[in-house]
Amino acid sequence: LLSARGQETRLSMAVRQFCWSIVWLLLMAARAYEFTDENWLAETTDKQIMVLFSSSTREYSGKPCDDCEELEAVFADLRRYWQGQDKSWAVVGTVDCSGAGAGLCQVMKISPANFRFGWGGPRALKQGGLTGWTGRRLQLPGGMEVMKKWLDASFLPYLKPGESLEGRADTGYKPNDPTTGYTQYIPKDSPEGLQHKEMADRRAKAQEEARRAQEKKLVMRPFNCDVFTRQYCSPEDESIIDKWSKASLQELQAERKK
């Protein structure tokens, strides 16, 4: 009887160990990093790619990667979705910036966690070689659906290497919306940095023009006082005059006299 119980116990332990082994293998598979320094050219050349740059150590350059673990888990679903289709002209995968893909991250000057897309191969091996994803964050509600639709509409078999992959589908991007994009440091002199600066300058100019137009509308009305000495000016007039320089007031008064 004791011998039978001992055998049953050993069998139970063996089954338990086997189950844990399966779980471990599944976890390792979920955390597999497809692209490395060694296979990058073979796996991505002349292909349309969507890549998650992550870190197996959950840190990079001494800084923690708070999003890495969560994004890897979500990205695994996207990867399975894409691999389940017969679309060999495009690949979806991950790079470990703290492991076998460290060289790729250094050459591209990318810090995890970061989504990038574009054309793979040697053309991507430079700063700004891939485009940063600015659409809806993948881990937020609706993010996965947006990304899947974008991939299906943007990664197409007839595109030639170097052709733009943008503009064919909605990314879920909304200006000044914290639910879109993935923040990382972008050098000011990089192509992306210059593009971001140009866009920021345009927004700032438009905002300034709108502000001046509104104030001009106020200040163009007749004043019942001397705008320079402020004699007989009402408190309302003075508050408007305070916002304008002497040169601006002279310009506006000249316009009013026309």
Side-chain angles (χ1 to χ4, degrees):
L1 181 61
L2 290 175
S3 178
R5 286 182 178 176
Q7 290 180 355
E8 184 179 347
T9 300
R10 286 194 294 273
L11 179 61
S12 177
M13 292 177 61
V15 170
R16 198 177 300 120
Q17 289 177 348
F18 175 76
C19 291
W20 277 112
S21 298
I22 296 297
V23 171
W24 183 83
L25 288 173
L26 289 174
L27 288 173
M28 290 300 102
R31 285 189 57 186
Y33 299 95
E34 288 80 11
F35 306 135
T36 66
D37 298 347
E38 297 295 327
N39 71 9
W40 175 264
L41 295 179
E43 296 292 333
T44 69
T45 297
D46 292 338
K47 290 185 178 182
Q48 301 154 58
I49 62 173
M50 170 63 78
V51 184
L52 167 61
F53 291 86
S54 189
S55 170
S56 58
T57 61
R58 306 306 182 224
E59 64 176 10
Y60 187 74
S61 298
K63 297 180 180 179
C65 179
D66 298 327
D67 292 335
C68 281
E69 187 169 4
E70 181 182 12
L71 288 177
E72 282 185 22
V74 178
F75 195 76
D77 292 336
L78 182 68
R79 189 173 59 223
R80 284 191 291 270
Y81 166 78
W82 191 256
Q83 291 174 347
Q85 307 180 66
D86 184 18
K87 297 182 177 180
S88 58
W89 61 85
V91 289
V92 174
T94 53
V95 170
D96 182 9
C97 291
S98 298
L104 295 173
C105 300
Q106 291 172 4
V107 169
M108 299 183 195
K109 300 189 184 304
I110 293 177
S111 301
N114 202 287
F115 283 111
R116 296 273 165 153
F117 65 90
W119 289 91
R123 73 177 68 239
L125 297 177
K126 60 183 179 181
Q127 186 174 344
L130 294 175
T131 302
W133 174 257
T134 58
R136 186 162 181 80
R137 289 176 174 265
L138 196 61
Q139 70 270 43
L140 294 181
M144 180 66 74
E145 288 69 25
V146 168
M147 179 74 86
K148 287 179 179 178
K149 290 180 180 178
W150 187 90
L151 286 174
D152 288 334
S154 303
F155 285 7
L156 303 172
Y158 55 79
L159 295 179
K160 296 179 180 179
E163 284 193 57
S164 175
L165 303 178
E166 300 180 77
R168 296 183 181 86
D170 180 30
T171 65
Y173 171 76
K174 297 178 182 178
N176 303 318
D177 186 347
T179 66
T180 60
Y182 291 85
T183 303
Q184 79 154 20
Y185 169 70
I186 300 177
K188 293 181 180 179
D189 58 349
S190 69
E192 282 182 278
L194 294 173
Q195 184 180 17
H196 285 206
K197 182 179 184 303
E198 182 181 354
M199 293 174 64
D201 289 344
R202 285 183 194 167
R203 286 195 297 268
K205 184 179 179 180
Q207 291 170 355
E208 177 63 17
E209 288 177 350
R211 183 189 67 79
R212 288 181 64 85
Q214 180 62 26
E215 292 186 350
K216 182 177 179 179
K217 185 178 179 181
L218 291 174
V219 83
M220 284 293 283
R221 66 175 179 72
F223 285 103
N224 297 316
C225 67
D226 187 324
V227 296
F228 299 112
T229 65
R230 302 198 183 188
Q231 189 175 8
Y232 309 119
C233 286
S234 67
E236 182 183 2
D237 288 341
E238 287 197 11
S239 66
I240 294 173
I241 294 169
D242 285 338
K243 295 179 180 178
W244 289 83
S245 66
K246 183 176 180 180
S248 297
L249 286 169
Q250 288 174 334
E251 177 185 341
L252 289 171
Q253 285 199 327
E255 281 190 37
R256 284 167 54 188
K257 290 178 181 178
K258 292 180 181 179

